[in-house]
């Protein structure tokens, strides 16, 4: 490690012990980062070098910002953090706001000031925010004005949070600085903590994942550089929140690394997203499979023809969704598996290398293998646990679950996969979503994918439920398309449909029709809630 710039060493002192740290590999020349590195200044340098001085960086409602303005404004905001709010390097800063230009500017400002970004979803309630504030011992907060009340409420029970400034006050203070003001960013070490990303809670209590300044660059120099391939001419849109690393990469880091433009929808919802794609002639889209299915229903009313790059993550992309999107738009979706722990996507494929239904191959810079319960590499074609390593890795903030995620230097993602003879990884299930029925192993996603191929099915989720005779049986929860009704006849038809597509023993012996599936605020399915209610 380089000499840290952090005066507040809370995060450094609460990293996992050396024996629980992941092995890191830097196999690509572009990953040879200098010892001193501030991710904000490096990304903005790349953006300004790649694009013209007045090239658009951010489009937000009726405002536009060039990359040079992003650099200047974020520097002023960083100065407010330091001079007015007393931030010292290493302090954690809550960033609470929507996907917007302001949130991006504040993100760059915190890193320039040497702070550690802890971004949160604007929909979180006070108690949820307090959990994050207390876990990370957050002292400062930058808050979009419309959401300040909930942060003030959380502050009442979180004594570590002493400095809060909303977007209106921050903008006023930044504008009061003299013309030509420039902020000298903190000369952080490449391995100084830059952000704590909290997991989305698909399996219960969220975990804080620490990532360094070099990790932020690494996701741009691996997945974005080798698979996505954005250029300065791209206009990027998407739904994943900046508070989560899929959104941070797709909407902030990846565009900045090449000087591209990010356009934000004026309001939440897929209607607004479709309108933004058409209005801005967006060329790149980041969203989850749920988003692609929603946009397919809107494609006839909105011009989506400008899209040339589409990226999916957050949950496995069913082949049916991939094929339907390709048929409607001519664009094949780039699927990928990533994790908050690894900061972004580490297995994927693009262009002619995409095989619908397969996740892809290890992203350049990463290694992946399939292992058994004892950690031994399994032969091609066998199903087992996914193990990954590369230039990024899991570092939980003082969490006993570190020992389960990192073993022998490898990151164990909790996913069950198989590797085919061509080197493609095929998702089977989350390790806790495998269903064992009458001695057969059944992956929930395989059954879900079969159900989604029926025209009546809008969404499907599958779990295993206890059964005295078989140990477990497959149970499905199905959301129907609007022109179909929940009947016993349709239930039988769906069961027969599954039997016709995959092995009959995998069909859902129980099937409930529901109005909606439980999901996180990022759109990920929460199977544990279905299991609790089953």
């Amino acid at each position: 490690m380089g000499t840290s710039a952090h005066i507040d060493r809370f995060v450094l002192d609460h990293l996992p012990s050396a024996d629980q740290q992941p092995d890191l590999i830097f196999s690509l020349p572009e990953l040879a980062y200098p010892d001193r590195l501030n991710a904000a200044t490096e990304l903005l340098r790349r953006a300004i070098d790649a694009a013209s001085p007045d090239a658009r960086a951010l489009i937000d409602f009726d405002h536009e910002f060039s990359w040079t303005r992003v650099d200047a404004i974020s520097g002023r905001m960083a100065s407010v953090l330091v001079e007015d709010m007393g931030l010292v390097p290493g302090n954690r800063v809550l960033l609470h706001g929507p996907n917007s230009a302001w949130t991006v500017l504040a993100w760059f400002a915190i890193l320039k000031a040497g702070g550690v970004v802890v971004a949160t979803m604007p929909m979180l309630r006070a108690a949820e925010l307090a959990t994050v504030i207390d876990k990370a011992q957050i002292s400062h907060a930058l808050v979009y004005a419309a959401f300040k009340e909930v942060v003030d409420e959380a502050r009442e029970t979180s004594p570590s949070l002493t400095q809060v400034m909303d977007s209106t006050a921050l903008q006023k203070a930044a504008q009061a600085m003299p013309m030509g003001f420039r902020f000298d960013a903190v000369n952080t070490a490449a391995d100084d903590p830059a952000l704590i990303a909290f997991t989305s809670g698909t399996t219960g209590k969220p975990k804080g994942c620490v990532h360094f300044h070099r990790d932020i660059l690494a996701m741009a120099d691996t997945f974005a550089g080798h698979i996505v391939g954005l250029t300065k001419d791209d206009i990027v849109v998407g739904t994943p929140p900046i508070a989560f690393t899929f959104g941070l990469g797709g909407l902030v880091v990846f565009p900045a690394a090449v000087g591209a433009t990010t356009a934000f929808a004026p309001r939440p919802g897929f209607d607004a997203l479709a309108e933004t794609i058409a209005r801005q002639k967006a060329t790149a889209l980041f969203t989850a499979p749920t988003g692609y299915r929603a946009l397919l229903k809107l494609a006839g009313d909105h011009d989506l023809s400008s899209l040339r790059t589409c990226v999916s993550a957050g949950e496995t992309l069913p082949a049916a969704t991939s094929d339907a999107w390709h048929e409607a738009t001519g664009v094949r979706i780039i699927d990928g598996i990533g994790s908050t722990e690894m900061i972004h996507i580490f297995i994927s494929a693009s262009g002619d290398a995409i095989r619908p239904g397969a996740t892809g191959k290890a992203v350049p810079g990463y290694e992946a293998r399939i292992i058994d319960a004892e950690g031994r590499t399994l032969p091609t074609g066998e199903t087992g646990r996914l193990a990954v390593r590369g230039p990024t890795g899991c570092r939980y903030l003082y969490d006993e679950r570190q020992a389960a995620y990192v073993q022998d230097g490898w990151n164990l993602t909790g996913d069950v996969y198989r590797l085919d003879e061509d080197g493609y990884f095929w998702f089977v299930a989350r390790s806790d979503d495998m269903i064992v029925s009458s001695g057969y192993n059944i992956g929930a996603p395989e059954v879900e994918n079969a159900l989604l191929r029926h025209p009546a099915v809008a969404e499907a989720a599958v779990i295993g439920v206890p059964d005295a005779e078989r140990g477990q049986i497959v149970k499905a929860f199905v959301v129907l398309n609007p022109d179909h009704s929940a009947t016993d006849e349709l239930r039988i038809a769906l069961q027969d449909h599954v039997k016709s597509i995959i092995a009959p023993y995998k069909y859902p012996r129980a099937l409930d029709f529901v109005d909606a599936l439980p999901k996180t605020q990022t759109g990920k399915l929460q199977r544990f809630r279905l299991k609790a209610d089953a």
Side-chain angles (χ1 to χ4, degrees), residues 278-294:
R279 184 175 65 254
Q280 300 296 344
K281 299 191 184 316
T283 59
L285 170 63
F286 290 78
T287 192
T290 301
Y292 287 104
R293 288 193 288 270

Side-chain angles (χ1 to χ4, degrees), residues 52-76:
S52 66
D54 297 325
R56 296 183 302 175
L58 307 171
I59 303 172
D60 193 356
F61 305 106
D62 56 348
H63 299 287
E64 293 186 2
F65 300 84
S66 67
W67 281 113
T68 50
R69 284 192 67 204
V70 171
D71 188 22
I73 295 170
S74 63
R76 289 169 175 258

Side-chain angles (χ1 to χ4, degrees), residues 364-483:
Y366 288 88
E367 299 174 355
R369 60 192 182 116
I370 308 299
I371 62 174
D372 64 14
E374 284 72 43
R376 296 171 299 208
T377 300
L378 288 170
T380 298
E382 291 197 18
T383 296
R385 299 185 297 167
L386 179 66
V388 185
R389 65 181 183 180
T392 63
C394 176
R395 305 178 197 93
Y396 287 141
L397 185 70
Y398 65 98
D399 196 305
E400 62 185 12
R401 291 170 286 187
Q402 178 76 16
Y405 202 98
V406 176
Q407 297 180 17
D408 297 323
W410 289 79
N411 300 272
L412 306 186
T413 66
D415 298 285
V416 178
Y417 263 82
R418 66 176 175 85
L419 179 66
D420 71 17
E421 56 279 359
D422 295 324
Y424 281 79
F425 288 85
W426 295 77
F427 179 73
V428 178
R430 290 286 297 173
S431 58
D432 52 1
D433 291 333
M434 286 297 293
I435 303 163
V436 182
S437 182
S438 298
Y440 291 103
N441 290 326
I442 303 169
E446 184 181 17
V447 185
E448 292 165 358
N449 293 345
L451 285 165
L452 285 168
R453 290 186 176 275
H454 194 283
V457 178
E459 293 186 276
V462 167
I463 62 171
V465 295
D467 180 78
E469 182 180 346
R470 293 179 171 83
Q472 284 183 308
I473 62 169
V474 176
K475 181 173 183 177
F477 298 84
V478 171
V479 179
L480 295 175
N481 281 314
D483 52 343

Side-chain angles (χ1 to χ4, degrees), residues 459-528:
E459 293 186 276
V462 167
I463 62 171
V465 295
D467 180 78
E469 182 180 346
R470 293 179 171 83
Q472 284 183 308
I473 62 169
V474 176
K475 181 173 183 177
F477 298 84
V478 171
V479 179
L480 295 175
N481 281 314
D483 52 343
H484 294 272
S485 300
T487 64
D488 289 338
E489 289 78 12
L490 181 56
R491 179 180 290 106
I492 294 169
L494 291 176
Q495 291 171 322
D496 290 340
H497 169 76
V498 172
K499 292 177 186 177
S500 72
I501 292 180
I502 57 178
Y505 68 85
K506 300 177 182 180
Y507 88 96
R509 294 177 183 272
L511 191 153
D512 288 353
F513 295 109
V514 295
D515 293 330
L517 298 174
K519 296 178 182 178
T520 67
Q521 292 165 348
T522 57
K524 291 184 181 180
L525 178 66
Q526 292 178 311
R527 282 197 181 86
F528 74 92

Side-chain angles (χ1 to χ4, degrees), residues 330-346:
V331 178
R332 184 60 77 179
I333 299 171
I334 297 172
D335 189 18
I337 179 175
S339 68
T340 308
E341 288 86 352
M342 299 292 291
I343 203 168
H344 218 277
I345 290 171
F346 45 80

Side-chain angles (χ1 to χ4, degrees), residues 2 7 24 42 71 78 90 139 169 180 207 210 260 272 296 312 315 334 372 391 401-402 412 426 429 506:
I7 296 171
L24 299 177
E42 173 61 15
D71 188 22
S139 55
K207 303 171 283 286
V210 179
L296 280 170
S312 174
E315 57 188 8
I334 297 172
D372 64 14
R401 291 170 286 187
Q402 178 76 16
L412 306 186
W426 295 77
K506 300 177 182 180

